[in-house]
Structure formats: C-alpha cells, structure tokens
Amino acid sequence: MSPPSLPAVPRTVQDDYPSVLVVDDSLVQRQHVVRLCQELGITLVYEASDGREALALLSMLVLPPSLLIVDLEMPGMDGFEFLEELHRRQACFPVLIASSREQMLMDSACTLGTELGLPMVATLAKPFCLAQLREAL
C-alpha cells in the first residue's frame, strides 16, 4: 500500500520569477512596477531607465534576473531595439512587455521577440495593477 500523497504546494510568482529587471524610462512607472513585484514576493528587483542601461546592468550582474519587464518607448534604446540586442548577445531572458501604447504595437513586440527566440511571457497595458501582473505571470 502506498503512503498517502501530500497535497500539492501551490506555486507562487516568486517560485517562477525570483528576480526581475524593470526597464522603463518613467521613474514613476518604474517605481510602481517595482512595488507591485515586491508585493508579489519578488525581493530582488533591478531597475534600468532604458535598453542601454539594462544591457550594461545585465553584463555586470552575478545573479541575473529571471524576468525582464520592458517598456517599448524609451529614449536611447527603445524596447524593440533592446529585444534585438538581447538576441544579438544570445541572452535569453523571459520578457513581459509593458506599455501605454496600443495593443497592436505590443503584439508586434511580442512577435519580434518570439521570432528572435526570446521567451515572451505577456503584454500588459500601463498602468496595470497587482492582479493583472499576477495573472500575466
């Protein structure tokens, strides 16, 4: 007779994504997303204000993030250029696109990321709330 099985422990967002890099040029939006991630139990949250800063940070981190939350419209290097550069550098991080732009543009970014071989997690229209982020992850 086999022993009784234990109930499955539900997975949390932190189990799947213990660390996050938020890439957004808007300080207010970036801080909002950081707070939401922390409310989900993600304690290691990195921040960058554009694609170039994010790439520089990624090249220095000993513990790389398990998820990138990326805005599309940023000065210097926008979200599309950032996705292309991740591919060029053979960096394969899961990506969630967060933008205040129209859904069609966010879908285009997801299509590009998928075609480049990046694991695209979801798109979220900004500003989003805790429940929307939790559901997307």
Side-chain angles (χ1 to χ4, degrees):
M1 181 171 205
S2 62
S5 60
L6 297 173
V9 177
R11 292 190 60 81
T12 65
V13 170
Q14 187 181 11
D15 292 334
D16 293 328
Y17 303 109
S19 59
V20 173
L21 169 58
V22 180
V23 187
D24 197 316
D25 61 310
S26 166
L27 178 61
V28 171
Q29 289 288 340
R30 200 168 61 243
Q31 288 175 338
H32 173 68
V33 175
V34 167
R35 277 192 304 276
L36 294 179
C37 289
Q38 291 169 339
E39 287 182 42
L40 288 174
I42 301 168
T43 55
L44 185 54
V45 183
Y46 305 105
E47 299 178 51
S49 61
D50 67 23
R52 285 191 177 95
E53 185 180 345
L55 291 169
L57 183 60
L58 288 170
S59 70
M60 296 184 312
L61 291 174
V62 175
L63 295 171
S66 52
L67 174 69
L68 309 179
I69 300 177
V70 180
D71 183 23
L72 292 180
E73 287 190 310
M74 298 176 286
M77 178 184 282
D78 67 24
F80 287 93
E81 294 167 317
F82 178 66
L83 295 176
E84 290 170 343
E85 189 61 25
L86 285 175
H87 170 71
R88 193 181 75 69
R89 294 179 183 209
Q90 298 179 341
C92 194
F93 296 98
V95 177
L96 184 149
I97 298 294
S99 179
S100 57
R101 294 296 307 267
E102 57 275 2
Q103 186 64 46
M104 188 184 316
L105 188 64
M106 290 192 288
D107 291 344
S108 294
C110 267
T111 299
L112 173 66
T114 300
E115 289 173 356
L116 294 173
L118 298 171
M120 302 304 289
V121 175
T123 62
L124 284 176
K126 295 191 304 186
F128 51 86
C129 67
L130 182 65
Q132 291 168 305
L133 181 58
R134 180 183 292 119
E135 185 175 320
L137 300 178

